[in-house]
Amino acid sequence: CFFLSRGTLPPCSLVCVAPSVLFLFLLVVTHTVFAQNSSSRQKEIVRVIDTLIEAGLKRDVQAIDHVYSKDFRHVNPNGSVMTKQQVLDIYKAPPTAKIDSNTHEVETVQTFGSIWVVTDRAIIKGTAGNKAFENQYRVTYVLRRSARRWLIVASHASLIL
């Protein structure tokens, strides 16, 4: 309002202040809506990871196939890289170990535009042969939104020593 620059307040000073108040209100509302959408998206993303973990425990190849993108790649702790088909083939084959539990603790969920990155700690307990094991891994998942759903496009696991 140009009257403010001359040091006098016009009778409409309330109207002159209103746009700045409106701007602040819209800023707060927009931030709140973004935070709610972000929180909602984070829950969607974590649900995809939970679906993958549950499908892996059940060796549900169809469900695993559904959450991986066509061009999915996984980097194993030893540095080897597996395609989606190679991962699915492992789940189609008889298991070499019995997994008793696969607990994941989500540590971070970050967004980079349309790409989301989840970092978690996995604790896998089971038996191989007659020998019990418990291994911990740091796992990173990269997801992107397809036309209809979130897909995991890449993952990497490192053994925690």
Side-chain angles (χ1 to χ4, degrees):
C1 185
F2 71 91
F3 291 106
L4 293 176
S5 64
R6 293 191 309 191
T8 60
L9 291 175
C12 66
S13 62
L14 204 50
V15 174
C16 294
V17 173
S20 63
V21 170
L22 179 61
F23 172 75
L24 287 174
F25 173 76
L26 289 175
L27 185 63
V28 168
V29 168
T30 302
H31 175 73
T32 302
V33 169
F34 175 78
Q36 288 171 345
N37 286 341
S38 180
S39 176
S40 173
R41 282 275 159 81
Q42 283 185 5
K43 289 177 184 174
E44 283 181 58
I45 297 298
V46 171
R47 250 184 309 222
V48 172
I49 304 302
D50 289 345
T51 298
L52 174 65
I53 293 163
E54 188 65 30
L57 284 170
K58 293 178 180 177
R59 302 186 72 77
D60 184 343
V61 175
Q62 187 176 9
I64 295 168
D65 183 44
H66 187 74
V67 297
Y68 284 156
S69 68
K70 284 187 251 181
D71 55 349
F72 171 80
R73 296 288 185 272
H74 174 74
V75 179
N76 290 306
N78 67 4
S80 63
V81 179
M82 298 175 69
T83 65
K84 176 181 180 177
Q85 191 57 55
Q86 289 170 318
V87 172
L88 295 176
D89 289 345
I90 287 172
Y91 281 97
K92 289 176 186 175
T96 58
K98 180 182 180 287
I99 305 299
D100 297 319
S101 69
N102 185 357
T103 307
H104 284 248
E105 299 169 1
V106 172
E107 294 175 338
T108 62
V109 180
Q110 300 170 287
T111 180
F112 302 95
S114 62
I115 302 295
W116 286 73
V117 177
V118 176
T119 305
D120 74 12
R121 184 171 67 109
I123 304 167
I124 301 174
K125 297 178 183 179
T127 54
N130 291 328
K131 190 173 182 182
F133 66 86
E134 178 178 330
N135 293 322
Q136 292 188 41
Y137 298 90
R138 182 87 55 230
V139 184
T140 302
Y141 300 95
V142 180
L143 298 92
R144 72 170 163 73
R145 181 90 178 162
S146 75
R148 299 166 304 199
R149 65 185 193 276
W150 289 99
L151 295 172
I152 302 171
V153 296
S155 61
H156 177 271
S158 296
L159 183 63
I160 299 173
L161 301 174

